[in-house]
Structure formats: C-alpha cells, structure tokens
C-alpha cells in the first residue's frame, strides 16, 4: 500500500520506496539515516530559514574542497564524527595502543630515514628524541614494522601548509624496525596549533564559541605484517589545549611525558611504546 507523505509518516514514506532487491547493508544504513535525520528536524522543529542556511553552509563547505584541502573531513573532525567512526572501527584489548584521528596533513611521499635520523629540516625548534619499541601484547618485539611520523614545525605549521618556506618532508620520516623492534629519531617538541579556521568550519566554531586549537602532538602510523594498522599521536603532557582539542583526538593513554634532558644533541626526550594487536 502506498504511504503518502505526511509529517507523522515521513520516515515510512521515504524508506518504503526502496526497491526490495536493494543491497541489504545499503538499505540498513539509508533507512537509519532517514530515520535519524527526520527525528532531528522534528526534535528542533527546523525552520525553513535554518534549512536554507544549512544548505548554503554545506555548499560553501564543498566549494572549499580541493586536492589540497578537505573541509568536509574537517567538519567531520570538529563534530566528533571522525573520532566516533574511528572508535567503532578500532576497538582494541587492554594494553594495546589506541587509535586517534588521522588528520589532513599526511603525505604519501614521506622521506625514508635511517634509525636515529633527524627529521627536522628547517633548523627551527627545540630538538626532541623520540624513542620506543614496537611490540605485541606480550611485549615481544615486532621486526619490520614501518613507522610513519609527522608533526608541525616550531611555528605550528606542517610543511604542506607552507610549501614556499618549508622543505617538503620537514618533520616527517619513514622508519623500519629491526629485530629488536626499537625505534628512535630526532624531531622537535611539537607546539600546539590552530586547525584551518578561514573556512566554513572556522565560522561554525566561532559561532559556537568553540576552541580551534589542537594540543602539541607527533603523528604515528604503524604498519606491520600480521598486525592491525595503528594511526595515533603522542600528545605533549601539560599542553594547555589537551582538554579542549578542536577535534577530540586526545585519549589519556596517549598523553606522554616530554622530559627536559641535559644533552648536547637534544633538549627533550619522549618515550612511547607502540603495542600492536594481531589481525584476526
Ligand atoms: C592534525 O592533527 O593534523 C589534524 C587533525 C584533524 C584536523 C586538523 C588537523
Ligand atoms: Fe596534527
């Protein structure tokens, strides 16, 4: 029987139109999306002017997207949605290293480095020794783990944000562990930085009075045969922005001591063991 559209039966009217042979997963996802979207409009009694504004906001967000910028991902990040999807898809046992948001500043052409190398190429910032082990849940070393790291420079910008002033590959590196699973390299102590706020996301954060800084962090992506990929950060303990990260990426386990050291080569030392879970 046809269900004509009405406010009361809006969900049934829309979902009832799906063909019987629609892919079951697509059917489940779309039916739930329609249900919750309609419930949202009914809950807030959305006005026409508000919906028109939302369409304009989403259109402007799309227009800001290009090869070099993804305002929709930033929107997802600042709505906590990226972290929610990441959490659902990366549930791990106690003791394993937790995931956090990937972010928009990873590049594929990462410089391959030797263990112990300096990744900072602009001569700025306070040198920091990053050191640790890649291991399994029992503490056994993982050989051949590929560790991809990236951070902002001392001014709070990634190389891709300043292509005219920073060398490409600045504060980035790709390392492979040996039989002992150990890694170490020298970067800088990463300062906090604002997420890009000159677009629609910045407008939203300003309207909501929300902070737009991320606490200082070093990104790590670790891949090893037979183990689940880890995408994470080490956060600088004591950073004033830890409890108001614009993209909700902070997890207690990932807040690490950056110790001041008395050394000729480095001013800071940060130890971070990465514990991987076997793939099922
Ligand atoms: C980042 O950590 O690089 C990042 C993550 C999400 C949004 C913006 C930046
Ligand atoms: Fe970052």
């Amino acid at each position: 029987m046809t269900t004509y559209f009405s406010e009361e039966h809006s969900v049934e009217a829309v979902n009832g139109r799906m063909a019987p042979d629609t892919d079951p997963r697509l059917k489940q996802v779309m039916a739930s999306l329609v249900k919750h979207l309609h419930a949202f409009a009914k809950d807030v009694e959305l006005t026409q002017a508000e919906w028109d504004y939302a369409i304009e906001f989403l259109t402007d967000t799309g227009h800001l997207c290009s090869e070099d910028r993804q305002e929709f991902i930033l929107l997802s990040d600042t709505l906590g949605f990226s972290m929610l999807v990441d959490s659902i898809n990366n549930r791990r046992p106690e003791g394993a290293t937790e995931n956090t948001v990937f972010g928009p500043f990873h590049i594929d052409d990462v410089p391959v480095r030797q263990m112990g190398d300096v990744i900072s190429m602009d001569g700025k910032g306070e040198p920091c020794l990053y050191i640790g082990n890649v291991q399994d849940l029992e503490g056994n070393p993982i050989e051949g783990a590929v560790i991809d790291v990236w951070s902002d420079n001392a001014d709070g910008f990634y190389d891709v944000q300043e292509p005219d002033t920073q060398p490409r590959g600045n504060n980035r590196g790709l390392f492979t562990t040996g039989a002992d699973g150990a890694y170490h390299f020298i970067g800088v102590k990463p300062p906090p930085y604002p997420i890009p706020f000159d677009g629609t996301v910045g407008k939203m954060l300003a309207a909501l009075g929300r902070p737009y800084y991320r606490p200082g962090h070093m990104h790590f992506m670790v891949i090893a045969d037979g183990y689940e990929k880890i995408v994470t950060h080490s956060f600088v303990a004591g950073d004033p922005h830890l409890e108001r990260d614009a993209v909700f990426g902070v997890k207690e386990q990932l807040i690490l001591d950056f110790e001041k050291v008395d050394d000729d080569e480095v001013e800071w030392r940060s130890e971070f063991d990465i514990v991987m879970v076997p793939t099922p």
Side-chain angles (χ1 to χ4, degrees):
M1 204 185 80
T2 303
T3 305
Y4 288 107
F5 193 95
S6 67
E7 185 179 332
E8 193 186 355
H9 296 293
S10 64
V11 175
E12 296 81 350
V14 176
N15 286 339
R17 294 269 174 96
M18 279 190 274
D21 59 351
T22 305
D23 174 83
R25 177 63 180 165
L26 179 63
K27 199 170 183 169
Q28 182 192 9
V29 170
M30 287 307 295
S32 180
L33 178 67
V34 168
K35 184 172 109 183
H36 288 94
L37 195 62
H38 286 217
F40 151 72
K42 290 172 190 183
D43 181 37
V44 300
E45 299 242 355
L46 198 66
T47 68
Q48 188 62 49
E50 286 164 345
W51 186 230
D52 293 345
Y53 183 89
I55 295 286
E56 201 179 308
F57 177 89
L58 293 171
T59 305
D60 292 347
T61 300
H63 284 151
L64 283 169
C65 294
S66 66
E67 277 279 290
D68 303 319
R69 180 165 182 166
Q70 235 302 351
E71 194 77 359
F72 270 119
I73 295 183
L74 202 59
L75 183 59
S76 159
D77 294 342
T78 49
L79 291 175
F81 206 73
S82 301
M83 280 304 291
L84 177 61
V85 174
D86 188 74
S87 303
I88 291 168
N89 286 279
N90 293 286
R91 296 181 186 123
R92 300 206 174 114
E94 184 83 22
T97 298
E98 294 183 69
N99 249 45
T100 189
V101 65
F102 186 54
F105 298 128
H106 179 261
I107 62 170
D108 290 333
D109 54 324
V110 192
V112 175
R113 315 261 193 200
Q114 297 307 307
M115 220 42 100
D117 274 356
V118 177
I119 64 169
S120 183
M121 300 153 70
D122 61 0
K124 292 182 177 178
E126 301 173 5
C128 177
L129 172 68
Y130 291 84
I131 187 165
N133 298 295
V134 182
Q135 57 196 38
D136 66 16
L137 285 162
E138 283 77 45
N140 302 305
I142 299 178
E143 182 177 4
V146 177
I147 309 174
D148 185 342
V149 296
W150 66 105
S151 84
D152 54 344
N153 74 349
D155 301 328
F157 294 104
Y158 288 84
D159 57 355
V160 289
Q161 293 177 286
E162 296 188 317
D164 298 333
T165 53
Q166 287 194 45
R168 191 166 175 92
N170 192 26
N171 293 301
R172 298 180 188 273
L174 202 65
F175 297 88
T176 304
T177 58
D180 60 0
Y183 76 86
H184 67 288
F185 63 90
I186 297 173
V188 291
K189 186 179 178 218
Y193 63 84
I195 61 167
F197 59 88
D198 56 342
T200 48
V201 169
K203 209 165 145 186
M204 177 186 80
L205 296 182
L208 297 173
R210 272 184 48 182
Y212 47 86
Y213 264 80
R214 297 218 66 207
H217 56 274
M218 173 63 74
H219 291 257
F220 287 78
M221 178 161 71
V222 188
I223 296 173
D225 278 349
Y227 295 89
E228 287 180 9
K229 173 167 118 177
I230 293 181
V231 174
T232 196
H233 312 346
S234 61
F235 288 97
V236 180
D239 188 293
H241 304 283
L242 282 171
E243 286 176 16
R244 47 175 193 265
D245 180 5
V247 300
F248 308 96
V250 180
K251 293 181 175 176
E252 202 143 13
Q253 185 210 57
L254 303 176
I255 302 173
L256 296 171
D257 285 338
F258 279 64
E259 302 160 56
K260 196 91 180 125
V261 289
D262 193 11
D263 189 294
D264 283 347
E265 213 181 349
V266 294
E267 290 178 46
W268 298 92
R269 181 183 191 276
S270 170
E271 193 168 340
F272 179 35
D273 287 339
I274 294 158
V275 181
M276 305 189 82
V277 177
T279 40

